[in-house]
């Protein structure tokens, strides 16, 4: 390798000095002085580059000698050279001299030097027969090209085959062939990989018929052809890529028993440890009961073996027992509940599928854990409240309600409205056989009760709001496709939604629902029915206009059915077509129990006849043993459409292959010519398409491809020049405006990405002011027109004005929490951006209409001008005084600012006085900021207030707690009057500030006083003493002894609840001055429980409550049949004899009245909608009913039941009156309680 002058400087310890011998490349290059060894090959002592001289051979004429390191040294041109060498063991000149190629080694070297601007010297070792070439150039790139070209011309051409695992081929090729192209460009060799449809190793696509889990993988031969050294280089690069993939493996553990799967899932960390640090990932497919392990091969094998051994140990060690639990409780034992049960009890639970009617639950675990497992399962099964809401009406109507709720996603809506409540409907598989359909609600009882009320309201609105009509299911797609706007009109004009069944169900029932969620919905059943009938008539008319549907049965022997159906149904798909307006049932599916040798076809008449003809032709071909699968057709399409038809990763063409069972090949001759070096291509070159398979399928595939080509031919694109500043407005929040345009016109609109550079780069390389619209010609034109109209709108409404304000005014402009700036934005309909600068100036930008930004600017400048030169001052105030100064709700500060002449507007007051806030460090610094004069006044006033507070004392006074309320007065009127007169603050026990006031100075004198009687007075000493004097004067003398007269009354326990009247009796006695002491109270409820109703359901094992009912129910039971025996002795203590006698009389009357309450009636209404009318304003109607009937009436807040207590005649009177009030009123009343 040649040495430069810089290398010689380092050898002579002259590193860092200027290069005195720059390579100028002229004829006056210095002569060599001493030989320098070269590590490559033999020495070339004549090489000027290898042996540079340290002195010029001849002195320059007419110039004085100057030092290269002297100050007089002028500028020099310095160039950089690079060099390298290659050694070839054998030079092949067998191909030289052909096709104009050089004939000798020297000519080869000369040609390379001329082509790549390099210098080449050669040296041959006769003993080793190796030739070393020394190359030097000013460009590393040129040097590399020369090396490659020289090697290619002189090396023998060889071919090498690498057998690569099939899974590594995508990595070798790279994204869009990028990796393979890089190898070809770097080495210049030819790399051939067989096409996907080429048979390798005897199997298509190189895939052998090995089991999926086998370690051996089929291989694909990769052929590398070119000069020998370059082939070896390319081979090394390919092997390196393959090595990165073959170190990985994927294995699956399948068919894990269902009862073992939860235990395996819980041991994930144990399996991860088995990898011993190797990189593995484990994915569980619970539905398929399999675990996929991927990662380092050795680690994967260890993990899989550990999983399998764990499964075997559980298979032999687990035992089980079975318990019966109601079906609705099974929902609480699935999903995450299984993991929680395992974590708690080391046992798992297996429940039957929802459609399985069995109520048997199996608990699995080790023998010693089963007891705790059973306990955990029972706790989980009873952990939440469950309510079964039966859908009303006959089963056909219930199914309509269920269909509506399912199609609109009502369970999710209901769960979102009531957090914590899970909503389930009857499983779809059980609906056809079920006699009663339910909605199950699970959660905490209060939340579930709220959800039940909402479901009840929905059921009330759905009564008379549904209707089912029959339209042949084959017409559903046609009706919806031809009349999409019609269904929107149904909702707008009639408030009716139309629900077609899923196409896969092949059902003809169409559900019409008068939308109960619409704000314009009418509650009138007659009006609902009229709208439903109108929509029904229009739908039936659309069905009659859609098509003439017919059925046809053709006789085809069962042995030919496979030929008609085709592989994976491909032939049948081709017959049915893309519109899918045909139904073809083959064999047993045709529904004829007598024979399977038939095929039933239903659909439009013309399609039925066509399909019957095609099926008979297919059968005829099969009978004649015609090799129809070898049928193929070829046609041409424009080359530009091939990529779109093939799709990303072949998705488009693969879809056709899978659906129709055909083979589709594209042959692009232009690509082959480009590979051979002919890069010029025709403007409209064609690509050949060859489709092979069954004739009918081939023709259908050809039809679909040509149809797609026609659509693509209509596609165009246009670039619009739109200034970048308007792009965000055109795109809209979250892209909503541009998405609307794309959906409306069927186009794709692309904006440049906002990268912060001058041009926003996208896949289409758009400039910052360009917008691309791509799609059909008509759609592009319409989208372009609307975009340009939107640009004009943006120009009018997207004006910008920029200005500056003093930074000190920003806080006032923003306002507290942004209130001021938001108010300006809303009033002027503008967008305002504020950016604080590094100095005392803040930049503001307003965007909007000209009028709006002018108004916004004026409002902001007006606020800024109000802010004068601000000053800041600090007042030191002890934290204990802060609350007193601030006052309740900040009223103290507001009054302080007003006294000092400050602004009355709360927005302007914000920030004038700032006390330390809660959560900040405790500090005595209070910050004042604002206009200089105002700040000084505030500071003086605060200091004055603090001086008064520092003179403040706390004194205590004993005031009986019984008189506190009177001294405080209604709404604190007496207390406020006392405080304003005396100037002191009075704190009664129980007030918020009582404990923060501190200990009284005279606490020692009051140490024996009851804390409930201790009142604290704070303020200046004179004011406190005056307030205490007034408080003492206001205290009334103690009342006379309360228990001067007393008597004993015995009350039977069974009458207790009716005598006391929920405590009203005791309040009445207190008004007589009588106090009651009771010897005992009953333990049983005052009203017997409601007997179970016929057809009722229970929410839990221990709960018999039910609120879902469809008719009025009336139940009467004796009142005191199971009442509690015994008596309670009431001791009456009164101030005087008169009060005692009145109390005794009142109690005796109450006992007599209770004896008349012989029966209890339970009146259960259909819903709670009539309860407001029954109760009346402030209970007026109920009070009137009680007075008229003599019965006690209790209206429940929990359910639809009203409890009536009294004699049998009183019960009947009250019941009839309530039913009259609950009867539906006239037209227009809505039951929205």
């Amino acid at each position: 390798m040649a040495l430069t002058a810089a290398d010689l400087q380092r050898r002579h310890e002259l590193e860092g000095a200027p290069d005195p011998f720059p390579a100028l490349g002229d004829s006056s290059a210095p002569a060599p002085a001493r030989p320098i060894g070269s590590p490559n090959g033999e020495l070339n002592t004549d090489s000027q580059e290898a042996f540079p001289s340290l002195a010029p051979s001849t002195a320059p004429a007419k110039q004085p000698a100057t030092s290269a390191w002297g100050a007089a040294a002028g500028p020099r041109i310095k160039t950089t050279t690079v060099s390298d060498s290659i050694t070839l063991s054998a030079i092949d000149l067998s191909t030289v001299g052909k096709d104009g190629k050089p004939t000798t080694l020297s000519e080869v070297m000369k040609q390379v030097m001329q082509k790549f601007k390099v210098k080449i010297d050669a040296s041959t070792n006769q003993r080793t027969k190796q030739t070393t070439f020394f190359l030097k150039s000013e460009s590393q790139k040129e040097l590399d090209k020369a090396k490659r070209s020289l090697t290619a011309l002189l090396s023998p051409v060889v071919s090498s085959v690498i057998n690569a695992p099939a899974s590594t081929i995508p990595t070798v090729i790279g994204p869009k062939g990028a990796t393979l192209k890089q190898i070809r460009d770097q080495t210049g060799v030819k790399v051939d990989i067989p096409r996907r449809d080429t048979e390798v190793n005897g199997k298509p696509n190189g895939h052998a018929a090995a089991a999926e889990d086998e370690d051996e993988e089929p291989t694909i031969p990769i052929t590398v052809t070119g000069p020998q050294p370059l082939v070896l280089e390319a081979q090394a690069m390919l092997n390196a890529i393959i090595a990165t993939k073959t170190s990985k493996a994927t294995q699956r553990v399948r068919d894990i028993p269902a009862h073992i799967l939860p235990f395996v899932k819980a041991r994930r960390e144990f399996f991860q440890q088995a990898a011993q640090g190797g990189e593995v990932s484990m994915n569980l497919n619970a539905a398929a009961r399999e675990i996929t392990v991927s990662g380092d091969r050795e680690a994967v094998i260890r993990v899989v073996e550990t999983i399998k051994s764990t499964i075997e140990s559980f298979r032999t060690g687990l035992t089980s027992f079975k318990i019966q639990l109601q079906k609705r409780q099974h929902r609480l034992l699935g999903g995450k509940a299984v993991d929680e049960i395992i974590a708690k009890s080391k046992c798992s639970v297996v429940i039957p599928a929802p459609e399985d009617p069995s109520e048997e639950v199996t608990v699995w675990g080790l023998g010693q854990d089963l007891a705790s497992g059973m306990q955990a399962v029972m706790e989980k099964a009873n952990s939440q409240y469950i309510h079964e809401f039966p859908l009303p009406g006959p089963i056909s109507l219930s199914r309509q309600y269920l269909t509506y709720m399912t199609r609109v996603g009502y369970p999710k809506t209901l769960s979102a409205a009531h957090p914590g409540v899970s909503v389930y409907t009857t499983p779809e598989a059980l609906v056809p056989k079920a006699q009663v359909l339910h909605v199950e609600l699970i959660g905490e009882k209060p939340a579930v009760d709220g959800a039940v009320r909402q479901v009840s309201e929905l059921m009330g609105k759905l009564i008379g709001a549904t209707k089912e009509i029959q339209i042949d299911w084959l017409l559903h797609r046609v009706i919806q496709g031809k009349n999409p706007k019609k269904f929107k009109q149904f909702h707008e004009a009639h408030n009716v939604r139309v629900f077609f069944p899923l196409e896969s169900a092949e059902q003809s029932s169409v559900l019409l629902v008068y939308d109960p969620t619409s704000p314009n919905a009418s509650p009138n059943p007659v009006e609902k029915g009229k709208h439903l009938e109108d929509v029904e008539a229009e739908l039936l008319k659309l069905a009659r206009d859609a098509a003439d549907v017919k059925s046809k049965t053709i006789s085809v022997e069962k042995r030919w059915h496979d030929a008609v159906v085709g592989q994976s149904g491909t032939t049948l798909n081709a017959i049915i077509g893309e519109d899918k307006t045909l139904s073809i049932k083959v064999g047993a599916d045709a529904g004829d129990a007598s024979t399977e040798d038939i095929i039933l076809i239903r659909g439009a008449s013309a399609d039925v006849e066509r399909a019957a003809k095609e099926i008979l032709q297919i059968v005829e071909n099969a009978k004649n043993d015609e090799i129809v699968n070898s049928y193929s057709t070829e046609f041409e399409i424009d080359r530009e459409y091939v990529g779109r038809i093939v799709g990303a990763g072949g998705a488009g063409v693969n879809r056709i292959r899978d659906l129709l069972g055909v083979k589709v090949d594209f042959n692009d001759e232009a690509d082959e010519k480009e590979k051979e070096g002919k890069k010029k291509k025709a403007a409209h070159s064609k690509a050949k398409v060859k489709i092979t398979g069954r004739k009918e399928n081939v023709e259908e595939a050809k039809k679909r491809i040509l149809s797609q080509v026609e659509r693509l031919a209509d596609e165009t694109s246009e670039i619009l020049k739109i200034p970048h500043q308007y792009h965000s407005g055109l795109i809209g929040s979250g892209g909503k405006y541009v998405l609307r345009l794309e959906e409306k016109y069927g186009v794709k609109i692309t904006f440049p990405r906002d990268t912060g550079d001058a041009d926003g780069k996208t896949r289409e390389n758009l400039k910052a002011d360009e917008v691309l619209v791509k799609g059909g010609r008509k759609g592009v034109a319409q989208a372009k027109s609307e975009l340009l109209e939107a640009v004009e709108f943006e120009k009018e409404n997207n004006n910008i004005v920029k200005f500056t304000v003093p930074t000190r005014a920003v806080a006032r402009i923003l306002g507290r929490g942004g209130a001021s700036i938001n108010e300006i934005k809303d009033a002027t309909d503008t967008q305002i951006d504020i950016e604080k600068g590094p100095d005392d100036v803040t930049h503001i930008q307003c965007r909007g209409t000209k009028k709006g930004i002018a108004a916004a600017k004026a409002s902001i400048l007006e606020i800024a001008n109000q802010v004068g030169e601000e000053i800041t001052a600090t007042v030191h105030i002890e934290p204990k005084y802060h609350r007193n100064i601030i006052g309740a709700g900040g009223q103290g500060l507001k009054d302080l600012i007003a006294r000092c002449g400050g602004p009355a507007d709360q927005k302007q007051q914000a920030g004038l006085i700032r006390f330390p806030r809660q959560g900040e460090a405790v500090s005595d610094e209070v910050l004042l900021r604002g206009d200089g004069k105002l700040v000084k006044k505030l500071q003086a006033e605060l200091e004055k207030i603090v001086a008064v507070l520092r003179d403040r004392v706390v004194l205590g006074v004993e005031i009986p707690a019984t008189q506190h309320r009177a001294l405080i007065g209604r709404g604190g009127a007496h207390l406020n009057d006392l405080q304003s007169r005396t100037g002191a603050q009075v704190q009664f026990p129980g007030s918020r500030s009582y404990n923060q006031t501190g200990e009284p100075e005279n606490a020692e004198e009051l140490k024996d006083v009851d804390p409930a009687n201790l009142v604290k007075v704070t303020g200046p000493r004179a004011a406190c003493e005056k307030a205490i004097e007034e408080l003492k004067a206001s205290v009334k003398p103690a009342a006379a002894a309360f228990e001067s007269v007393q008597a004993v009354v015995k009350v039977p326990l069974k009458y207790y609840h009716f005598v006391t009247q929920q405590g009203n009796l005791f309040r009445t006695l207190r008004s007589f001055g009588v106090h009651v002491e009771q010897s005992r109270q009953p333990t049983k409820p005052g009203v017997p429980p409601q007997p179970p109703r016929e057809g009722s359901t229970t929410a839990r094992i221990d709960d018999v409550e039910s609120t879902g009912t469809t008719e009025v129910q009336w139940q009467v039971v004796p009142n005191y049949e199971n009442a509690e025996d015994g008596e309670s002795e009431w001791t009456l203590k009164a101030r005087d004899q008169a009060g005692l006698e009145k109390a005794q009389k009142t109690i005796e009357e109450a006992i007599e009245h209770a004896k008349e309450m012989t029966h209890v009636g339970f009146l259960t209404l259909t819903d709670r909608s009539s309860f407001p009318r029954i109760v009346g304003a402030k209970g007026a109607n109920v009070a009137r009913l009680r007075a008229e009937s003599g019965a006690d009436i209790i209206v429940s807040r929990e359910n639809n039941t009203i409890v009536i207590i009294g004699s049998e005649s009183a019960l009947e009177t009250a019941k009839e009156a309530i039913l009259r009030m609950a009867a539906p009123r006239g037209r227009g009343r809505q039951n929205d309680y």
Side-chain angles (χ1 to χ4, degrees), residues 379-390:
E379 288 177 358
K380 200 67 182 176
N382 292 284
S383 61
Q384 287 186 308
Y385 178 80
I386 307 175
H387 185 98
E388 277 189 350
F389 188 98

Side-chain angles (χ1 to χ4, degrees), residues 168-190:
T168 64
I169 296 301
T171 306
V172 171
I173 297 175
K176 298 184 179 180
T179 306
L180 192 60
K181 183 177 184 299
Q182 181 182 359
I183 296 174
R184 287 172 173 167
D185 293 344
Q186 185 171 335
T187 61
V189 300
K190 183 179 180 181

Side-chain angles (χ1 to χ4, degrees), residues 209-358:
E212 187 176 354
D213 285 341
E214 289 184 1
D215 291 338
E216 294 300 325
E217 186 179 3
T219 58
I220 303 293
I222 301 176
T223 305
V224 185
T225 305
Q228 188 178 30
L230 301 180
V231 167
L232 295 176
E233 181 182 352
Q235 190 173 353
M237 296 172 68
L238 289 170
N239 285 332
I241 295 173
I242 294 170
T244 61
K245 290 295 178 181
T246 53
S247 61
K248 304 292 181 181
T250 298
Q251 292 190 24
R252 292 181 176 86
V253 182
R254 290 191 171 91
D255 299 325
I256 303 173
H259 68 281
I260 295 178
L261 186 62
F263 294 95
V264 174
K265 180 182 176 182
R267 282 160 174 74
R268 180 183 180 88
E269 293 185 2
F270 172 68
F271 300 143
Q272 196 76 41
Q273 293 173 2
Q276 299 178 5
E279 182 180 346
V280 294
S281 65
M282 291 178 286
N283 295 314
L284 170 65
N285 185 343
R289 293 187 288 110
E290 70 176 27
I291 297 176
T292 302
V293 186
S294 304
D296 297 339
R297 183 179 297 274
E298 296 300 325
V300 166
I301 294 173
R302 289 193 297 269
V303 171
V304 169
E305 290 300 324
T306 305
I307 294 174
K308 289 180 177 179
S309 63
T310 302
I311 293 172
E312 288 303 318
S313 65
F314 281 129
R315 198 188 300 271
T316 57
L318 293 179
T319 57
S320 67
F321 73 91
K322 299 179 179 179
I323 56 176
Q324 296 287 330
L325 285 176
Q326 296 188 29
K327 193 68 177 178
R328 61 179 174 272
Q329 291 178 286
H330 292 191
R331 297 193 186 278
L332 299 176
L333 300 177
K336 294 182 179 179
V338 178
D339 299 334
E340 295 175 5
I341 291 172
I342 286 183
K344 185 175 182 180
S345 65
K346 301 181 181 179
C347 290
S348 177
V349 60
V350 178
I351 57 176
E355 58 271 13
D356 187 345
S358 172

Side-chain angles (χ1 to χ4, degrees), residues 704-724:
R704 296 187 185 187
I705 291 176
L706 292 178
S707 174
Q708 187 175 356
V709 168
E710 289 181 8
R711 291 195 297 268
L712 293 174
D714 183 56
E715 188 176 88
T716 185
S717 62
E718 190 163 349
I719 294 179
L720 309 181
K721 289 287 186 179
I722 299 176
H724 187 268

Side-chain angles (χ1 to χ4, degrees), residues 1010-1070:
D1010 186 349
N1013 298 335
L1014 182 60
V1015 177
K1016 298 178 182 179
V1017 184
T1018 62
R1021 186 174 296 277
C1024 290
E1025 291 174 351
K1026 182 179 179 182
I1028 290 173
E1029 184 180 347
E1030 290 197 22
L1031 282 171
K1032 289 181 177 179
S1034 302
V1035 174
K1036 297 178 181 180
F1042 189 68
E1043 294 93 359
S1044 59
V1045 182
Q1046 62 182 16
V1048 175
V1049 178
K1050 294 184 178 181
V1051 179
L1053 290 177
K1054 63 180 180 180
Y1055 300 144
Y1056 180 90
H1057 294 286
F1058 300 99
V1059 171
T1060 58
Q1061 302 173 17
Q1062 298 180 349
N1064 289 331
L1065 176 68
F1066 298 128
R1067 286 190 284 273
T1068 302
L1069 297 181
R1070 281 198 295 270

